[in-house]
Amino acid sequence: MRQAMAEARLAASKGNVPVGSVVVREGRIVARGHNEVVSGHDPTAHAEIVALRRAGAALDTPALTGCTLYTTLEPCPMCAAALVWARVDRVVIGALFPRTGGVRSLARILDLMGPVIHRVEVVAEVLPQECLALLPPDYR
């Protein structure tokens, strides 16, 4: 999670909402990503999507079975669906986020899609205070 937090700080340094993610397989980081929506002029460039794209490229496959995605903030519905389609085994979430969270808070996308496509294990609230502290006060 600390590596994802470092990515979140990198996002903030580029003027983006500070969210960071890393993809881990067999104990090593295979991809990193941070929010690039503002700096990349891309509404889909959320930290999780960026990390999943890079992991797919690094592993030369769209199926990320055996991988865990660590992310500082609860994925939105778009990113939660991407976790299922990518067949990530587990997501570790720093802080739940009632405003936009698509895993446990606003919607439960993994519960809806999992039984049909791929089940993603959820570990929530790992260093939640530290992860929330990365966000600007008006965003929390």
Side-chain angles (χ1 to χ4, degrees), residues 1 15 39 42 61 65 87 96 98 104-105 118 120 125:
M1 187 57 69
S39 62
D42 180 354
T61 180
T65 52
R87 291 168 169 63
L96 295 177
R104 294 265 169 89
S105 299
H118 176 80
V120 178
E125 299 194 284

Side-chain angles (χ1 to χ4, degrees), residues 53-91:
R53 287 176 181 157
R54 290 177 179 162
L59 298 172
D60 198 31
T61 180
L64 301 178
T65 52
C67 292
T68 298
L69 181 128
Y70 291 80
T71 190
T72 58
L73 199 62
E74 180 179 6
C76 73
M78 174 185 70
C79 293
L83 293 170
V84 175
W85 288 117
R87 291 168 169 63
V88 169
D89 285 348
R90 181 169 63 153
V91 60

Side-chain angles (χ1 to χ4, degrees), residues 73-133:
L73 199 62
E74 180 179 6
C76 73
M78 174 185 70
C79 293
L83 293 170
V84 175
W85 288 117
R87 291 168 169 63
V88 169
D89 285 348
R90 181 169 63 153
V91 60
V92 179
I93 301 166
L96 295 177
F97 199 59
R99 220 168 111 186
T100 60
V103 174
R104 294 265 169 89
S105 299
L106 179 67
R108 297 182 73 92
I109 301 300
L110 301 181
D111 293 342
L112 293 170
M113 294 178 68
V116 178
I117 298 163
H118 176 80
R119 292 189 189 276
V120 178
E121 176 189 351
V122 177
V123 177
E125 299 194 284
V126 174
L127 303 175
Q129 301 306 324
E130 292 93 329
C131 289
L132 283 175

